Amino acid sequence: MGAQRNNHRNPCNVNSHDVTCGTTTWIGKGLTCYCFKRKGVYERICITLTPLQEQRLNRLKHRMKIYFDPARSDHQEALKALWYATYPDQQLHGLISEQWKEMGWQGRDPSTDFRGAGFISLENLLFFAKTFSTSFQHLVKKQDGKRATWEYPFAVAGVNITFMLIQMLDLDALKGRSFVRAVFLQMLSENEWAFDLLYSVAFVVMDKQWLEKNATYMEFNDVLKLTRAQLEKELLMDEVLGIEDMPSFNLLC
C-alpha cells in the first residue's frame, strides 16, 4: 500500500528537476500546476486541462446533463437492458410494474428515482451489470455477508453513488481545484470509461463498508461518507495511476 499524498502546496522552489511550484508553465504546455508532497518529493498536479482532458470532461459533463426521459425510446431500451442484465431469465411485464421493486427501486416506476442523478446513473448501473456481472449479481441479490433485516435498496443506492461521485470529483464546478479531481482527470485522459469504472469500484466498496459496519438503512448516508473517504484515499495513493490500480478494484469480479 502506498503512502497517501499530502495535498499541501509548496510555496517555494523545489529541488526535483529544478521545478518552480505554482508557475504557469509545465513541460512547455502552458499549464498551471501546483505541487504536493509524495514520499518526501514534491510532485506536480496541473489544474488547467490538457485538450484531451477537456474533451473527455466535456463529454462526461454532457452525460451528466441528460435527464432520464421515460418517453424516449433509447431510454426505455436502456431500462429494459438493465432489467435483463439483472434478471436474464425473468420476463419484464412493463416499464411500470411491481417487478421493479425487486431490484430496489422505490416504486413501480423507476424513472421517478433517476431525478437525482439523471440518465448517467442508469448508464452506470448498466455498465456495472455488464462489465462486472458476478459482483453485480452478488450485490443485487445480497449474497455476501451477514445482512441487516432492513437492507439498503440496491438500485436507489446506485443512483446515490453516482451523485456522490459527481460531488466528490467536483464535476459540477466550472473550474474545480481539488487534487482528487485533478488526479481523476488524468485517469480520464488515459481511459474514457474511468468514471464508470470508478462507479463499479464505489459500489463494491460501499457494500463492503455496509457489511463491516453491520449497517441498517438509516445508516446509509454514514456508509456513503465512509465510502467516499476510502475512494479519495485510494485515488491519492502513490502507485495508483489508473482506476485499475486502486486496491479496491480487486474486489470486482
Side-chain angles (χ1 to χ4, degrees), residues 179-250:
F179 283 109
V180 171
R181 170 190 163 103
V183 168
F184 171 75
L185 290 180
Q186 180 57 43
M187 295 176 179
L188 187 64
S189 68
E190 300 294 332
N191 186 340
E192 63 181 315
W193 297 105
F195 186 81
D196 302 83
L197 285 169
L198 183 59
Y199 173 89
S200 302
V201 173
F203 217 136
V204 291
V205 169
M206 186 277 294
D207 192 73
K208 185 173 182 288
Q209 297 276 12
W210 177 271
L211 291 173
E212 289 176 355
K213 190 176 174 61
N214 194 27
T216 62
Y217 181 70
M218 295 300 290
E219 298 171 286
F220 179 77
N221 285 337
D222 294 334
V223 172
L224 209 56
K225 289 177 184 176
L226 291 172
T227 301
R228 173 172 173 165
Q230 181 65 30
L231 295 174
E232 290 176 333
K233 177 182 176 181
E234 292 189 21
L235 285 169
L236 295 176
M237 285 177 174
D238 295 329
E239 67 272 26
V240 174
L241 302 177
I243 304 300
E244 296 91 337
D245 299 324
M246 296 174 66
S248 292
F249 185 83
N250 295 320

Side-chain angles (χ1 to χ4, degrees), residues 74-120:
D74 56 335
H75 289 199
Q76 293 172 5
E77 291 305 313
L79 196 53
K80 290 177 186 176
L82 176 63
W83 176 266
Y84 287 111
T86 309
Y87 307 110
D89 301 320
Q90 190 173 334
Q91 184 67 35
L92 176 64
H93 301 313
L95 294 178
I96 298 178
S97 167
E98 291 291 331
Q99 290 175 289
W100 289 107
K101 294 180 182 179
E102 184 180 342
M103 195 187 295
W105 299 103
Q106 294 185 86
R108 300 175 67 247
D109 182 2
S111 68
T112 60
D113 289 327
F114 288 119
R115 290 171 185 160
F119 185 62
I120 192 173

Side-chain angles (χ1 to χ4, degrees), residues 11 15 18 21 24 33 36 38 55 66 74 76 78 87 94 106 114 117 121 123 142 147 186 219 237:
N15 236 349
D18 296 323
C21 299
T24 57
C33 299
F36 64 101
R38 171 183 174 188
Q55 179 190 63
I66 299 174
D74 56 335
Q76 293 172 5
Y87 307 110
Q106 294 185 86
F114 288 119
S121 56
E123 291 181 314
K142 307 294 175 69
R147 297 285 172 175
Q186 180 57 43
E219 298 171 286
M237 285 177 174

Side-chain angles (χ1 to χ4, degrees), residues 54 117 170 206:
E54 188 168 14
D170 213 11
M206 186 277 294

